[in-house]
Amino acid sequence: MGDGEKVRAIFNFVRDEILKEEKLIRNGRIDYWNYPKNILENRKGEYEDKIILLVSMLRTAGINESDVEVVGAKLDLAGSTSSDIWIELKLNGRTYLLLPRENNNYDSFNKDDIYSLYDVQELFRFNDKKLVRV
């Protein structure tokens, strides 16, 4: 199986098989990111949990650490600011933003297209090997 096929299968699994979980209090804390093992066992997670699981599964499947990172950022479009988190994936000469939400595919969002539409202020990037705060 090639990297593109692996990414598609993993992305589809996380998007479709991990059910949305409402905010919970876990271990006395509200809304912390869960561990991939727990997410898989419960088949539930919030959006951020899906991101953590997805990056972990991609790394486990052999995607190079320099090719996959979680990115947190502020986005500004015509004076309206929001924040979001996604996975940045470099694959076959392109860079995709993976957002495992309903109706999205792994190749739905090209980084160049999104960064040209929004003023993106990256706040952090990480994977299992590094953390960079901007």
Side-chain angles (χ1 to χ4, degrees), residues 51-96:
I51 292 288
I52 297 298
L53 178 60
L54 182 54
V55 76
S56 297
M57 291 180 74
L58 290 171
R59 289 286 294 126
T60 300
I63 303 297
N64 191 296
E65 70 185 73
S66 62
D67 293 335
V68 62
E69 296 178 303
V70 175
V71 176
K74 287 184 181 178
L75 303 126
D76 186 53
L77 179 63
S80 177
T81 302
S82 63
S83 61
D84 207 345
I85 186 171
W86 57 79
I87 292 176
E88 187 174 292
L89 171 73
K90 296 174 187 161
L91 182 66
N92 300 326
R94 298 183 77 184
T95 303
Y96 299 100

Side-chain angles (χ1 to χ4, degrees), residues 3-98:
D3 284 346
E5 293 169 303
K6 286 181 199 176
V7 170
R8 176 179 282 113
I10 293 168
F11 181 91
N12 290 346
F13 171 81
V14 172
R15 180 196 63 202
D16 299 339
E17 301 299 325
I18 304 302
L19 302 175
K20 183 179 179 183
E21 181 177 50
E22 297 304 320
K23 293 183 189 248
L24 295 176
I25 296 176
R26 297 183 194 123
N27 299 324
R29 296 178 58 200
I30 297 175
D31 193 28
Y32 70 91
W33 296 347
N34 209 344
Y35 295 103
K37 177 181 179 271
N38 297 340
I39 300 164
L40 284 171
E41 284 175 0
N42 298 319
R43 297 281 178 134
K44 290 182 182 177
E46 293 184 298
Y47 178 68
E48 293 86 353
D49 296 331
K50 285 185 167 195
I51 292 288
I52 297 298
L53 178 60
L54 182 54
V55 76
S56 297
M57 291 180 74
L58 290 171
R59 289 286 294 126
T60 300
I63 303 297
N64 191 296
E65 70 185 73
S66 62
D67 293 335
V68 62
E69 296 178 303
V70 175
V71 176
K74 287 184 181 178
L75 303 126
D76 186 53
L77 179 63
S80 177
T81 302
S82 63
S83 61
D84 207 345
I85 186 171
W86 57 79
I87 292 176
E88 187 174 292
L89 171 73
K90 296 174 187 161
L91 182 66
N92 300 326
R94 298 183 77 184
T95 303
Y96 299 100
L97 305 184
L98 307 184

